[in-house]
Amino acid sequence: MLDLVVRGGTIIDGSGSVGFSGDIGIMDGRIAAIGEVPDPGRAEIDASGLVICPGFVDPHTHYDAQLFWDPAASPSNLHGVTTVIGGNCGFTLAPLNPGDAPYLQRMMAKVEGMPLSALESGLDWSWRTFADYLGRLDGNLGVNAGFLVGHCAIRRAVMGADAIGNEAKPDQLEAMKSLLAEGIKAGGLGFSTSLSYTHNDGDGAPVASRFASDEEVIALCSVVSEHEGTTLEYVTDGCMQGFTDEELDLMVAMSRSARRPLNWNVLTIDSADPDRYRAQLGASVRAAEHGARVVALTMPVLVGMNMSFLSYCALNMLPDWGEVLGLPVSERMAKLADPQTRAHLAERAASPDAGVFTRLTGWGGYRIGDTFSSANQGLTGRTVADIAAGRGSEPFNTLLDIVLADELRTVLWPAPTDDDDESWRLRAEAWQSEHTLLGGSDAGAHLDRMCGAPYTTAFLGDCLRGRGLASLETAIHMLTDAPARLFGLRERGRIERGWHADLVVFDPDTIDSGAMRMVDDLPGGSARLFADAVGVHHVLVNGLPIVSGGQATDARPGTLLRSGRDTETVLVG
């Protein structure tokens, strides 16, 4: 007798092949039979009228902290995600020296938008090595999870406070290489780093990895080449603005030194600037010509996010805006009321220096969320363009007048400027490239600002009932087998006999993401954005249900993915 049989569904196996009707039998956490399965199961799922596909693989998350208080990795679990990759952008919580926890907490709160109160109260911070960190998670996961080893933590562990503002000395570099090797031997999936201007620590200084020389980065990548089943992840200024020749040369050198693929996050595509996106993909072509592999992560949906002029958000990334938005509130309000400052900010936001952040400049499309003053009563839910028209004023000035009336507390929901037909045509074109991979949710980060986890269900719903930019079989392949193969996940990502039984059972007529809402469920009393899934009936991880009847279970069948044991080497060059 089988442990579980999923009967009568349309099986889409993740390979891109056309779906077929059949059953799936599961035994000991693995797929034992596919097709007509006459043997009974101790438990059975009726999948009549439903699709059965592999579990989705999210290649770019920041669940490094959340998994301690939420082993289910919600809401990703509800949206069919069975495997997550963490430790991205050079940010990990280990290795950790005694006394360094407050620094890492404040850094993660700043760069990844994790509430400081949650980081302080939701974890005990008593581990020291990367092995210790992984050990805390092993055996207590609802999903499969693997983690890269982050550059910033390694640098801090070796150099202490000198990691900020200084290049490493030869002996310090050797110590970093040893720590990285130790982390990978413990199961780390590879190496991640950031050289991006968008990443500053809790004190406002550039994060430690931004002070690394090219030689340091390449030397650390060489360590990765010595270990099976490893990979690289990287973010730099060019991810937002378009790569310089120097950045491309470094990416090529990193991939060649590691002999592994390098993925970067995130490729945004805007019909207003098609040359940038094509040049960024051209960088991958050039890398391949030099014996390297560079893969761009790109999202198949537009992730909504809220903002405020009161707290740090993406608006701070607009050129010259950070200097104003970083002022004390009273001084900030005075500047935002000044006509000359307003004109300057508007001009700089629309300049080429803004890179991908120009998509924030559709001021009239901003929708007003919560307001806090009598002057703004009744504005919630309205667009700035509508309000400006009624006032006979210009949208940008109207927006600033609204937030000033609320003493900057107004919650804003920007409408991206790249939600046009041509941008979507270009995205569909980019998805066909061997140099792109769907992903970049940032799930587990920016918790009160955005919720990227539902991209899987939202994309499938759009393919089936919306724009129809990909067939269902192709869309599922891009969410399952494609990322599994880039990371070398052993026997995951497809429905094959003998492979791990990571499965999603969903209704193709209804699958989608629910509306965003705030939930107050974080340690320390903080809130986060959350979205339920629509049409996802069952999610299995290693043969056990983590979602049943559309509701999360308490099961913890996830595997802590360790390099070499759970991953195989994907070579380049």
Side-chain angles (χ1 to χ4, degrees), residues 1 11 31 36 72 76 162 247-248 284 318 322 328 366 371 436 544:
M1 179 177 286
I11 299 172
I31 298 169
E36 185 176 343
S76 292
D162 287 342
E247 287 173 320
L248 176 55
S284 294
L318 290 167
Y366 277 53
T371 63
T436 63
L544 294 176

Side-chain angles (χ1 to χ4, degrees), residues 201-515:
D201 66 15
D203 299 318
V207 295
S209 57
R210 290 177 58 188
F211 294 99
S213 65
D214 289 357
E215 291 74 20
E216 176 182 323
V217 173
I218 294 167
L220 290 169
C221 290
S222 71
V223 174
V224 174
S225 71
E226 301 167 2
H227 301 276
E228 185 180 1
T230 49
T231 194
L232 299 175
E233 189 269 347
Y234 175 62
V235 60
T236 185
D237 294 357
C239 300
M240 278 65 69
Q241 299 175 325
F243 298 119
T244 65
D245 287 341
E246 291 76 15
E247 287 173 320
L248 176 55
D249 289 344
L250 179 57
M251 287 192 288
V252 169
M254 290 170 68
S255 178
R256 291 183 60 178
S257 179
R259 299 186 64 213
R260 303 290 188 270
L262 177 150
N263 77 79
W264 62 271
N265 182 64
V266 58
L267 173 66
T268 59
I269 300 172
D270 188 341
S271 63
D273 190 9
D275 292 339
R276 175 183 52 77
Y277 123 74
R278 291 197 173 104
Q280 286 177 313
L281 279 192
S284 294
V285 175
R286 181 174 157 190
E289 292 171 349
H290 288 80
R293 186 178 179 193
V294 172
V295 177
L297 301 191
T298 188
M299 287 288 275
V301 300
L302 297 179
V303 178
M305 63 180 69
N306 67 48
M307 296 180 184
S308 162
F309 279 71
L310 184 64
S311 55
Y312 187 86
C313 66
L315 292 171
N316 291 66
M317 297 296 104
L318 290 167
D320 293 350
W321 280 54
E323 298 173 12
V324 174
L325 298 186
L327 292 170
V329 171
S330 59
E331 296 178 37
R332 195 183 318 170
M333 290 180 64
K335 282 287 188 181
L336 292 174
D338 174 53
Q340 288 186 326
T341 300
R342 291 186 175 197
H344 178 68
L345 292 179
E347 177 186 358
R348 294 294 288 143
S351 73
D353 293 340
V356 300
F357 294 103
T358 56
R359 67 195 302 269
L360 299 176
T361 61
W363 311 118
Y366 277 53
R367 190 169 297 277
I368 304 300
D370 295 338
T371 63
F372 302 88
S373 66
S374 58
N376 288 338
Q377 187 173 357
L379 298 187
T380 297
R382 296 177 61 187
T383 66
V384 169
D386 176 48
I387 299 166
R391 295 180 178 182
S393 61
E394 183 269 336
F396 183 59
N397 284 323
T398 300
L399 174 64
L400 294 182
D401 290 342
I402 292 168
V403 301
L404 285 172
D406 276 337
E407 296 183 332
L408 310 185
R409 292 180 294 170
T410 318
V411 176
L412 305 169
W413 290 91
T417 59
D418 51 357
D419 191 14
D420 58 288
D421 290 344
E422 178 60 10
S423 292
W424 283 107
R425 187 192 70 78
L426 291 173
R427 291 186 184 105
E429 173 185 280
W431 300 340
Q432 306 309 310
S433 170
E434 63 180 315
H435 303 302
T436 63
L437 181 74
L438 296 193
S441 74
D442 259 7
H446 313 295
L447 298 177
D448 62 342
R449 294 295 183 199
M450 59 175 275
C451 183
Y455 78 98
T456 52
T457 53
F459 176 51
L460 292 178
D462 191 45
C463 288
L464 288 164
R465 298 180 306 281
R467 298 177 185 88
L469 297 179
S471 70
L472 182 58
E473 289 84 358
T474 297
I476 287 174
H477 168 72
M478 290 192 288
L479 295 173
T480 59
D481 191 48
R485 300 288 68 78
L486 179 69
F487 287 89
L489 302 182
R490 294 186 187 272
E491 300 171 338
R492 299 188 193 273
R494 290 199 298 270
I495 295 176
E496 289 196 19
R497 188 173 285 104
W499 284 36
H500 299 281
D502 298 339
L503 302 172
V504 183
V505 181
F506 68 86
D507 183 348
D509 292 332
T510 61
I511 187 167
D512 207 341
S513 170

